[in-house]
Amino acid sequence: IFEFCNHSYAMHTLNGRRGLLQLENETYEQYRKNIYNDVFAVQQLLEENCGFRPNVYTYPFGFNDEVSRELIKSCGFEATLGVQEKPNYLIKKRASTLFELNRYNRSGYITTEDFMEKALSC
């Protein structure tokens, strides 16, 4: 099973911009436009080439703040993922619990067995 999430087109960087965080010299309007252009570039590519648009956004490096979270929500995503490795607690019929979800990252250098052992120990 594969799941595709939007993880940014060109904002997965630590040079200059740190993930989705606003640059010091960027106005809010420039920032909003840059976020939307980046998000919808990925959405369009996946729709054109794979036939679907992701409904989950994964923050590059986990960097986000209140402004970026609101901009991402306004793009129509139904959930977002960060980078903290700990369990999530979801509440039935409360969609807000689907935002800023934690996730367990698995390096290609670790076996599935070792990964699961680490995840279960948290």
Side-chain angles (χ1 to χ4, degrees):
I1 296 174
F2 293 90
E3 180 180 354
F4 289 88
C5 302
N6 190 320
H7 196 41
S8 89
Y9 184 79
M11 293 188 171
H12 197 275
T13 180
L14 294 175
N15 298 324
R17 184 180 306 279
R18 297 181 61 79
L20 287 195
L21 297 179
Q22 186 172 354
L23 296 171
E24 280 187 36
N25 61 344
E26 202 173 32
T27 67
Y28 173 79
E29 275 307 309
Q30 291 170 326
Y31 177 57
R32 185 181 67 78
K33 182 179 177 182
N34 288 334
I35 293 282
Y36 286 173
N37 287 343
D38 188 86
V39 165
F40 291 112
V42 175
Q43 297 295 85
Q44 184 175 347
L45 282 171
L46 286 170
E47 187 168 27
E48 289 173 1
N49 294 291
C50 302
F52 71 94
R53 288 179 153 232
N55 61 351
V56 177
Y57 189 87
T58 305
Y59 292 106
F61 304 102
F63 290 127
N64 66 83
D65 59 14
E66 186 176 337
V67 175
S68 62
R69 289 190 297 271
E70 288 304 315
L71 288 171
I72 291 299
K73 280 183 185 179
S74 73
C75 293
F77 291 103
E78 297 174 23
T80 59
L81 302 172
V83 295
Q84 291 195 20
E85 294 187 340
K86 60 184 183 179
N88 292 295
Y89 299 95
L90 305 178
I91 300 170
K92 189 175 182 176
K93 296 185 181 184
R94 189 174 297 169
S96 63
T97 62
L98 296 175
F99 288 88
E100 299 175 59
L101 293 169
N102 304 305
R103 66 187 169 113
Y104 292 86
N105 293 306
R106 178 178 174 221
S107 163
Y109 299 106
I110 186 172
T111 67
T112 300
E113 183 178 288
D114 288 343
F115 174 77
M116 294 308 289
E117 198 172 295
K118 176 185 173 191
L120 291 173
S121 70
C122 292

